[in-house]
Amino acid sequence: MRRFVAEKAKRAVSSYLLSSLRSHPSPSLSSSPLKFYSTAAAMASKLNPPVTVDSLNPKVLKCEYAVRGEIVTHAQRLQEELQTQPGSHPFDEILYCNIGNPQSLAQQPITFFREVLALTDHPALLDKSESAALFSSDSIERAWQILDVIPGRATGAYSHSQGVKGLRDAIAAGIAARDGFPSNPDDIFLTDGASPAVHMMMQLLIRTENDGIFCPIPQYPLYSASIALHGGTLVPYYLNEGTGWGLEISELTKQLEEARSKGITVRALVVINPGNPTGQVLAEENQQQIVEFCKKEGLVLLADEVYQENIYVDNKSFNSFKKIARSMGYGEDDLAVVSFQSVSKGYYGECGKRGGYMEITGFSADVREQIYKVASVNLCSNISGQILASLVMNPPKVGDESYESYMAEKDGILQSLARRAKALEDAFNSMEGVTCNKAEGAMYLFPRIHLPQKAIDAAKAVNKAPDAFYAQRLLEATGIVVVPGSGFGQVPGTWHFRCTILPQEDKIPGIISRFKAFHESFMSEFRD
């Protein structure tokens, strides 16, 4: 109907202009019929634009990414108002606790990594005598090593589509040292952060909407967004909040059977360890159960391991799923495992450098050819990110000049993150109607908020999810930005929010006091 009306209007405009031209000929128009028709076409195009929301790819419309969604957009507007109208809000700054972006919240980069990046980005520095006084000897040596494996030492040129071979060699060596099992550089695909690698695997695995991908709920919205963009079906499995966000095989079995009964072919299982947004670290025994489940059911294991350095409890440690599979005796022919790693998280927090990789194992040669083909469409990932990924997996070692300063920086960041996590966890658990599990790892807390019915009704009245309503009120009262739990998925009838532990430690007490004051006021306003 809309198209019919637009076409009718288009014809009416053209007819009117033509009759006007005949009755009142204009020298300019009569001498330039092309000008007349271009004017008419321009007017008609305004009535019937070539692209509208209704004509977009429906997969794009279905895709959502709450981490940078409505709350964050509102926060950015408020920030602009604070800059143009100081004192216009009851706070003087916006505190972005919505996203794992450490350096935006004043975390400092690791000196050794940045020294090597500077030297490789501008190799002429290596020939200057002053450099020996400005840079550590091991950063100079590492820069030479890296430049020697880059063809022509050209850090501004395209590389192999999987990444520079010498850098992949270094990453494979780092993986082998971490796991105690060999790693093949040909299994490694360097990418602009972990996200493109996730998209690549979804593109390869999803054929139609009848293909499903197992995802934890709560989950990082990258996965739901990527599945939607590529036209697949998200098959949820719910983490058990009551057992510290435990992953239970009985839940996987139940959800797999239900999906298959609906005609969905489940292709892969996503596991995020340490968890995002939930912060749990899987026990080794639980990981073994997951490996057995994937082998039995013929699923690709997609292991999101980008927080592998972020462990804050003494009784748990990170184990890669590839290491677990190899320690169980499973090799290339037994199980397909894809591990994702990124330079954006850990203690390094180099989000803007866009470095990362995926290590693929258990795929046949002909499938690997297809993976390489998809990678080659993007030519290659950026070279600075590739270099940084090699440094993250091969930091300074005992005996290197930078080792002590590197360890001091690393330990200082991780120990501070652990203290911040504990302070926020205790604060949330002290608030009325809030329960918060321990952050064993990653960069987030995911508290549950038990909202009064009046608050739930008020949220419905403005067509918002109750936790989104809470998050918006929090932002407008305090300037603190969190992400509603509804953006990550949650058990129906429960409400949460995700809060990063990344604001600098001296800001945490202020955040806690603002949060508590708001929460008390909110609960009083809506108390049943």
Side-chain angles (χ1 to χ4, degrees):
M1 182 66 185
R2 184 182 299 172
R3 185 176 297 174
F4 170 76
V5 171
E7 288 296 331
K8 186 175 180 181
K10 180 179 175 182
R11 288 194 299 271
V13 169
S14 299
S15 176
Y16 170 78
L17 288 172
L18 189 58
S19 64
S20 297
L21 179 64
R22 287 169 176 164
S23 57
H24 304 286
S26 165
S28 59
L29 283 177
S30 59
S31 62
S32 180
L34 285 177
K35 184 175 181 180
F36 159 70
Y37 284 114
S38 64
T39 302
M43 293 182 67
S45 68
K46 290 181 180 179
L47 294 169
N48 189 23
V51 180
T52 65
V53 171
D54 290 342
S55 68
L56 291 176
N57 184 338
K59 296 172 187 174
V60 172
L61 300 179
K62 186 178 178 183
C63 166
E64 293 183 358
Y65 189 67
V67 173
R68 293 198 174 186
E70 179 184 353
I71 298 292
V72 180
T73 302
H74 187 35
Q76 291 165 344
R77 284 196 297 267
L78 295 180
Q79 187 169 31
E80 290 176 5
E81 290 172 10
L82 286 173
Q83 292 170 347
T84 57
Q85 306 168 50
S88 57
H89 295 286
F91 45 85
D92 56 9
E93 66 176 330
I94 300 293
L95 290 164
Y96 288 98
C97 299
N98 61 298
I99 192 168
N101 192 13
Q103 292 186 28
S104 74
L105 293 167
Q107 179 174 307
Q108 295 302 300
I110 299 297
T111 302
F112 175 79
F113 295 166
R114 285 300 184 92
E115 286 189 356
V116 176
L117 283 177
L119 291 165
T120 53
D121 207 35
H122 189 45
L125 291 172
L126 291 164
D127 296 325
K128 295 184 179 296
S129 57
E130 305 98 301
S131 294
L134 294 171
F135 299 91
S136 63
S137 60
D138 52 336
S139 69
I140 292 172
E141 181 182 359
R142 185 71 69 90
W144 278 118
Q145 291 172 357
I146 289 171
L147 288 169
D148 284 344
V149 301
I150 296 175
R153 296 180 177 171
T155 55
Y158 289 136
S159 74
H160 186 282
S161 291
Q162 284 183 241
V164 174
K165 174 61 164 60
L167 299 179
R168 287 186 282 124
D169 288 339
I171 291 170
I175 293 171
R178 181 196 68 193
D179 291 347
F181 292 95
S183 176
N184 183 347
D186 291 336
D187 292 342
I188 294 167
F189 287 73
L190 287 160
T191 52
D192 291 323
S195 298
V198 170
H199 281 296
M200 195 184 307
M201 292 312 303
M202 296 303 174
Q203 192 173 16
L204 287 155
L205 292 170
I206 294 171
R207 300 162 296 186
T208 72
E209 62 184 9
N210 292 324
D211 283 331
I213 305 293
F214 251 143
C215 282
I217 299 296
Q219 53 98 29
Y220 177 45
L222 164 66
Y223 292 97
S224 54
S226 185
I227 292 166
L229 281 172
H230 296 293
T233 296
L234 187 151
V235 178
Y237 65 91
Y238 289 89
L239 302 177
N240 188 334
E241 186 170 8
T243 59
W245 300 110
L247 194 166
E248 298 172 353
I249 300 301
S250 59
E251 169 70 4
L252 290 177
T253 302
K254 170 189 166 187
Q255 297 294 348
L256 181 63
E257 290 174 355
E258 184 175 336
R260 286 174 173 169
S261 72
K262 296 176 181 176
I264 296 171
T265 302
V266 181
R267 306 294 310 279
L269 169 68
V270 173
V271 181
I272 308 174
N273 181 46
N276 176 10
T278 45
Q280 84 283 9
V281 178
L282 294 177
E284 189 171 347
E285 181 182 359
N286 197 191
Q287 289 185 269
Q288 292 170 348
Q289 295 169 342
I290 294 164
V291 167
E292 288 286 9
F293 179 82
C294 287
K295 184 178 185 305
K296 174 186 173 186
E297 302 296 346
L299 304 178
V300 177
L301 177 49
L302 301 177
D304 183 330
E305 299 176 336
V306 303
Y307 296 99
Q308 58 190 259
E309 296 282 359
N310 299 99
I311 309 290
Y312 309 126
V313 289
D314 295 330
N315 63 335
K316 288 189 176 180
S317 59
F318 171 77
N319 291 290
S320 75
F321 270 100
K322 186 186 131 188
K323 174 184 176 180
I324 295 294
R326 296 294 178 267
S327 66
M328 295 170 68
Y330 295 138
E332 287 276 347
D333 297 332
D334 300 307
L335 182 71
V337 180
V338 181
S339 172
F340 303 108
Q341 167 65 319
S342 171
V343 306
S344 300
K345 309 305 178 185
Y347 56 90
Y348 16 91
E350 295 278 13
C351 301
K353 297 299 183 184
R354 308 312 300 136
Y357 68 80
M358 65 177 179
E359 182 187 25
I360 63 167
T361 58
F363 293 89
S364 63
D366 54 347
V367 170
R368 293 167 66 91
E369 285 180 11
Q370 298 303 309
I371 297 174
Y372 177 77
K373 179 176 71 177
V374 172
S376 67
V377 170
N378 294 320
L379 298 176
C380 70
S381 59
N382 80 88
I383 303 301
S384 293
Q386 292 188 32
I387 292 170
L388 192 50
S390 76
L391 296 173
V392 161
M393 297 306 292
N394 286 277
K397 295 178 174 56
V398 176
D400 293 342
E401 181 184 335
S402 297
Y403 178 74
E404 289 187 7
S405 61
Y406 157 76
M407 287 301 297
E409 291 175 343
K410 173 185 175 181
D411 291 345
I413 290 169
L414 291 175
Q415 289 167 11
S416 176
L417 286 171
R419 290 192 298 269
R420 288 177 247 175
K422 184 67 168 68
L424 286 166
E425 172 199 333
D426 289 346
F428 290 140
N429 280 321
S430 73
M431 296 180 194
E432 178 188 356
V434 179
T435 55
C436 183
N437 280 327
K438 186 179 185 66
E440 298 178 331
M443 295 178 172
Y444 317 99
L445 292 164
F446 198 65
R448 179 176 177 180
I449 43 175
H450 301 261
L451 295 172
Q453 187 60 45
K454 284 183 181 178
I456 295 171
D457 292 341
K460 288 179 181 177
V462 293
N463 198 31
K464 288 188 180 296
D467 47 13
F469 178 73
Y470 179 92
Q472 182 168 321
R473 290 286 296 268
L474 172 70
L475 169 62
E476 292 171 347
T478 67
I480 298 171
V481 187
V482 298
V483 187
S486 46
F488 299 89
Q490 53 200 343
V491 172
T494 67
W495 312 108
H496 301 77
F497 61 85
R498 189 186 79 165
C499 179
T500 73
I501 60 173
L502 293 175
Q504 286 301 290
E505 199 164 355
D506 61 355
K507 287 186 178 288
I508 295 296
I511 290 172
I512 289 172
S513 62
R514 281 199 233 177
F515 220 123
K516 282 186 171 181
F518 162 77
H519 186 76
E520 289 173 8
S521 173
F522 183 92
M523 296 299 281
S524 296
E525 179 181 351
F526 292 102
R527 196 176 307 283
D528 294 330

